[in-house]
Structure formats: C-alpha cells, structure tokens
Amino acid sequence: MTSISSSRTNLAGLVRRTISALENADLPLDMPGSIELRESRRQLLTQLQARILPHLESNVLPAIIVFGGSSGAGKSTLVNSLVGQEISPASVLRPTTRTPVIVLHPSDEAAMSNHALKDFGTYQVLDTAIPGVALVDAPDLDSVEAENRELSARLLDAADLWMFVTTASRYGDALAWNTLEMAHQRGITSAVVLDRVPQRAAATVRTDLLKRMAQVGIAESPLFIVPDAGAHSGLLEDKYVAEIRHWLEVISATKVGNSLVERTTQATLPALRENLLRLADALESQEHALLDLKDKAREAVHAPLDKLATNIAHGRFGQGAPTASWLAFASTGGPLAGLVAGRKPHIFERNTTRRDNATTSIFESIHSAVRVAVTQGVLTGQAAVEEAWKNDVVDTTELLATANANADTDAIIDDAVQGWKADVAQICKKVSPNPWLGPAGIAALVGIAAGGIAGANTTARSIGLENVVEEARTALSERVRGALNALADVYANAAGAVHVGDSSDLRLRASEFLAHS
C-alpha cells in the first residue's frame, strides 16, 4: 500500500471507527422520520466505505466517475462511446442497465481489486479505457424497479464526480434536478451532460440549463453539450464525445482527479459530522421509544392487577357455589358440623376422611374460581398491552407478533393457580394436628378461608389458624402479581431484545471529526 501521511492515517482510522459505529447503529423501529434516517445512514456508510476510506488508504486509486440520470438519457451509449466498445447495454427497452458496469484501464485494475465498488457492479477492464478514472454506468434514477433506484443512489454516494446526463427534452425533470441539488448539498462534485441536443434548440436550452445549474449552486460545474446524432445504433462518432473524453483525460494526466477527490472529501466532512449527530439523536429517540413501550406494557397490567387484589381482599372467590357447598357440609348432619360447632369429635368421628374430602371439595371450587379470575385478569392485561402498543407512535406490528408468539398465557395462568395451591400446602406444614382434620383437610380449610368464605374464616380463627389464613391470602396476592408481571415481562422483553446501537459512540466519532473539518 502506498505510504500516506500521518494526518491521512489518523483520518483513515477515524473513518474505520465511524464505519463500525454506523454498522452497529441499527434503526429498527418504524417511527416518524425513520425511513429518512435509515437512508442517511446508508448514504454515510457508502460514502465512507466506497469513496472516502479507499482514497485515504491509497493515493493511486482512479477517480470514480458515475454517469447517472433519468431513463432514456443515453448514459450507456455515452460510456460505450467514450471507451469505444459496447460493454454496457443500450436499448429502447426500460430498464436497460440493471447491473452497473464499471470500466477500468488495466493500469488501475490492481488498485481497484479490493475496492468496495466491486460489490456494486461488474468490472470491465479495457485498454481503450481512460487511465486514472473509473467510469460507472449507473441504473436510472427513475427506474421502475426499486432495486435499481436504490443502487443508483448508492453509486451516487460512492462517486468522486457525478456526471448528470439528461436530454433536451428531459432536462427539466424534477426528480433528476432534486437529486442533483441533493448531491451538491452533500458535497459531491457534479458535471452536467446535455445529450441529444438539436442544433436549432442548442442556444436556448443551454441558457436555460445554465440558469438551472446556478439555482442549485453548481454554476461553476462543467457543462457538456452532445449534439443530436439522429437515428443511429451502436456507438456515437468520436466527435460527439471528444470534449468529454478530453476533459476526463486532462483529469487523469494533470492529477486533477486527486484534487477532485480531496475537494469532494473535504466538502463531505462537515455534513458528515452533522449527520452523525442527527443519527445519534435518532438512536436515542428509538431507545426512549423502546423504554416507553416497556413502561406501557407494565402500566397496562395495573388495572387487572388492582381488580384481582380487590377481589382477594374482599374474599370474592368464595361467593356463589363455594359458599353454598360450605353451608351444606357445615349444617346439622353435615361432615363439618362438629368442627364448626367447636366440640371435640366422638370416638366414631375420629376418622377424618369424610371431613378432609368435604373441605377438599370446597377448596377445588375456590381453586376453580381463582383460575377463572386469574385467566380474566391475564387476558385483560394482554388486551390492554396490545391496545397501548397499537396506539403508540411506533409501528409495533412486528413487535406485537413476536411478543404474542412468546406469551404462553396458559402457562402463566397455570403457574399462578397451581403455584398458590402448592403454597397453601407448604404453609400448612407448620400447623399443629387437629382432631377433626388431617393435613389435607387443614390445607383445604385454610385455602377456603383465604378464598373468602365467611364461615370458614370463623372456623379457622376458632382453631388458631387466623395468621395462617392471612399468610395464604398474601401468597395468593403474590402469585397473581407474579402472573401479571410475567405477562408484562414477555412484552417488555420483546422490546428489550431490539438492538438499537450506541448513540454515544456516534457522538464520540462526530466530536473527533471536528479536528478534520
């Protein structure tokens, strides 16, 4: 590699670090302005990888001359005629140019062997090409194919010089002039080729064209007029492209290409720093948007969680069928009558099986009521999260699809309900034996009382289980809270898995460019 100055070496290192920062700077969320910002990021990467860095690392690269313009402007014919061979297809069919052709002289082939431009198109190495310049026939700016339009824009960002090719009938097209103005604003040096100009209209069109060039700030840029050659096929006669070829040869022979590259690079650096800061702001906006989505997911489950907490506090899981079962079992002649009455069991009542079965049956009713309530709470929470995300400024379609696919609500509900049942059994292991109930019966009684059946609460209190019942009720509250939090975590984790990148890295790179601006 050619030896380069310390300043260029330092700038090359900064450019490489900036490329790395940009490659890491994902803008994954679709939100206002994100399309434009992604395009800005792609532009910066192309400028740095395909134009600025290669020239900083080597001073023997040819200048990259990109021929671009609207469909039918004659770009391919011009490139073919400049090198004297039909190497880029020219046709009345549109689009013609799909894979860009990059024409090199053999003396430049080695220097361009690892250039990023190689990823954009096909190299054609010709003895008739112009040494010191690489001619690129780009796809149409207004191609009907989006891929072609995108490729044309990328090649514009890679250009040391953009040869804007238009015709006497098309030179007023808004798209092409907007692109030309944008290129000038980004520091890309441009020249204009007015192709197929009838002799009778040459003066008028030239005057108007120069006026337009002045309006977009490129009045000093070269303007080439290519006369109308009439109906023909194949290459143009040498006289039609002689002026352009001579100008390109002068660029090569006088090393104007080096100053052209330097001028384009220096014009790009101030805007580069500004764009880096703008992208850093965008990254922070996306980071904040993701945090906001996480917060909304957690806030959305508050209402169903509060409702469940109220139901637990007021013992509403015991209403209806569970209370009716309790009354039936606790009434005179029922298996729980003696326990409720507070007397000691007779010798024939010491077998606890019937009473254990009775309390277990009621607890199953409580357990079912809890499952229904938790299910309603989880599904309500899920619907609330979806509604909050759908109304967000961010397009959350893909995020919601990912989160919903990961949200196993059945598992969340089952874990909470079955987990509480296990909690009650564990809590009751410390309870002393009771003559009326076995361990299973005691655990069921505690669960019944925690579920809110008034008679069961009174009975549990009479045999010293009041604190145990409160402990079981607290365990239910924790399980319910855990279920809703687990649901919110699924959505928060989906947002958290989105990679945005490090905005501080871009800000650091922007500050380093101050020394080179």
Side-chain angles (χ1 to χ4, degrees):
M1 179 180 292
T2 303
S3 176
I4 53 179
S5 68
S6 174
S7 176
R8 290 180 68 183
T9 301
N10 291 338
L11 182 55
L14 172 55
V15 169
R16 282 190 291 270
R17 293 194 298 276
T18 304
I19 289 171
S20 177
L22 285 168
E23 287 176 336
N24 188 51
D26 292 337
L27 292 166
L29 301 181
D30 288 330
M31 52 193 298
S34 60
I35 294 176
E36 293 80 3
L37 288 163
R38 289 190 194 110
E39 174 61 21
S40 177
R41 173 177 171 269
R42 286 193 294 266
Q43 288 173 355
L44 288 174
L45 278 170
T46 302
Q47 288 175 353
L48 294 172
Q49 292 172 325
R51 178 158 52 81
I52 294 177
L53 184 59
H55 285 298
L56 288 173
E57 293 180 327
S58 172
N59 58 8
V60 296
L61 287 177
I64 309 301
I65 315 293
V66 175
F67 285 71
S70 301
S71 60
K75 301 181 296 296
S76 298
T77 298
L78 281 174
V79 172
N80 292 341
S81 300
L82 284 167
V83 298
Q85 297 188 46
E86 292 194 51
I87 44 81
S88 189
S91 170
V92 294
L93 298 177
R94 297 289 172 257
T96 297
T97 303
R98 291 179 172 83
T99 301
V101 175
I102 303 157
V103 187
L104 302 174
H105 189 271
S107 61
D108 296 316
E109 183 179 9
M112 292 291 291
S113 61
N114 295 316
H115 196 284
L117 199 64
K118 202 168 188 177
D119 296 331
F120 289 83
T122 302
Y123 281 1
Q124 290 282 352
V125 182
L126 304 176
D127 290 333
T128 54
I130 304 169
V133 294
L135 305 185
V136 183
D137 183 14
D140 300 333
L141 288 170
D142 57 354
S143 173
V144 295
E145 296 184 5
E147 185 178 352
N148 277 358
R149 296 196 301 272
E150 170 71 15
L151 187 52
S152 182
R154 297 285 72 77
L155 287 169
L156 173 58
D157 293 321
D160 296 315
L161 171 70
W162 186 37
M163 298 288 286
F164 169 48
V165 183
T166 187
T167 65
S169 61
R170 297 288 304 274
Y171 76 91
D173 289 355
L175 173 63
W177 281 96
N178 289 340
T179 306
L180 189 62
E181 183 175 12
M182 179 184 66
H184 173 66
Q185 291 172 348
R186 296 212 306 266
I188 299 171
T189 304
S190 301
V192 177
V193 179
L194 186 61
D195 195 14
R196 301 173 187 160
V197 183
Q199 185 176 0
R200 66 181 182 278
T204 301
V205 173
R206 184 178 187 278
T207 299
D208 190 43
L209 186 55
L210 287 171
K211 181 180 178 181
R212 288 175 179 269
M213 290 172 65
Q215 289 174 344
V216 298
I218 59 169
E220 303 301 319
S221 296
L223 169 62
F224 301 97
I225 307 293
V226 178
D228 186 6
H232 76 284
S233 61
L235 306 178
L236 295 170
E237 294 180 31
D238 288 345
K239 64 181 181 179
Y240 290 101
V241 295
E243 185 182 8
I244 300 175
R245 183 175 176 92
H246 175 69
W247 181 66
L248 294 174
E249 289 172 342
V250 169
I251 286 178
S252 175
T254 61
K255 300 301 181 183
V256 172
N258 290 341
S259 61
L260 176 68
V261 169
E262 181 67 21
R263 183 167 67 251
T264 302
T265 299
Q266 289 302 318
T268 302
L269 293 182
L272 173 63
R273 179 176 180 274
E274 181 181 339
N275 287 333
L276 287 173
L277 291 174
R278 193 158 63 96
L279 282 171
D281 290 341
L283 287 181
E284 289 181 357
S285 294
Q286 296 228 336
E287 290 168 355
H288 294 158
L290 288 170
L291 288 174
D292 186 55
L293 288 174
K294 293 179 185 179
D295 290 341
K296 285 182 175 179
R298 296 191 170 99
E299 290 168 2
V301 303
H302 286 172
L305 180 59
D306 289 344
K307 183 176 180 179
L308 283 168
T310 298
N311 288 343
I312 293 170
H314 290 81
R316 290 173 181 165
F317 300 126
Q319 295 176 352
T323 294
S325 295
W326 170 266
L327 293 175
F329 287 130
S331 62
T332 302
L336 301 179
L339 171 65
V340 172
R343 62 180 177 80
K344 292 183 178 180
H346 300 305
I347 189 171
F348 299 109
E349 296 177 317
R350 289 178 182 174
N351 188 317
T352 65
T353 301
R354 287 185 65 232
R355 293 184 290 275
D356 288 348
N357 289 341
T359 53
T360 298
S361 174
I362 301 170
F363 186 40
E364 287 302 322
S365 296
I366 293 287
H367 194 250
S368 295
V370 169
R371 179 177 290 277
V372 169
V374 173
T375 299
Q376 290 176 340
V378 168
L379 295 181
T380 300
Q382 185 177 36
V385 176
E386 290 185 3
E387 184 68 17
W389 276 26
K390 286 178 180 177
N391 291 329
D392 196 86
V393 67
V394 174
D395 182 351
T396 58
T397 303
E398 292 186 9
L399 275 176
L400 274 172
T402 299
N404 286 337
N406 294 333
D408 189 345
T409 53
D410 289 341
I412 290 173
I413 293 164
D414 197 59
D415 183 67
V417 177
Q418 292 300 117
W420 179 58
K421 195 173 187 179
D423 291 340
V424 172
Q426 183 65 33
I427 289 168
C428 290
K429 283 184 177 181
K430 62 186 178 183
V431 175
S432 301
N434 183 280
W436 287 103
L437 298 169
I442 291 174
L445 175 64
V446 169
I448 294 166
I453 293 180
N457 265 299
T458 300
T459 300
R461 188 163 45 250
S462 69
I463 59 176
L465 297 179
E466 182 176 6
N467 291 338
V468 179
V469 169
E470 185 57 35
E471 195 173 342
R473 189 176 291 120
T474 299
L476 178 57
S477 296
E478 291 175 352
R479 286 289 179 177
V480 165
R481 183 177 300 278
L484 272 299
N485 285 340
L487 175 69
D489 285 344
V490 171
Y491 290 86
N493 291 340
V498 177
H499 178 266
V500 172
D502 188 357
S503 60
S504 62
D505 198 10
L506 288 180
R507 293 194 186 282
L508 178 59
R509 302 289 83 80
S511 67
E512 290 178 311
F513 272 107
L514 278 174
H516 297 277
S517 299

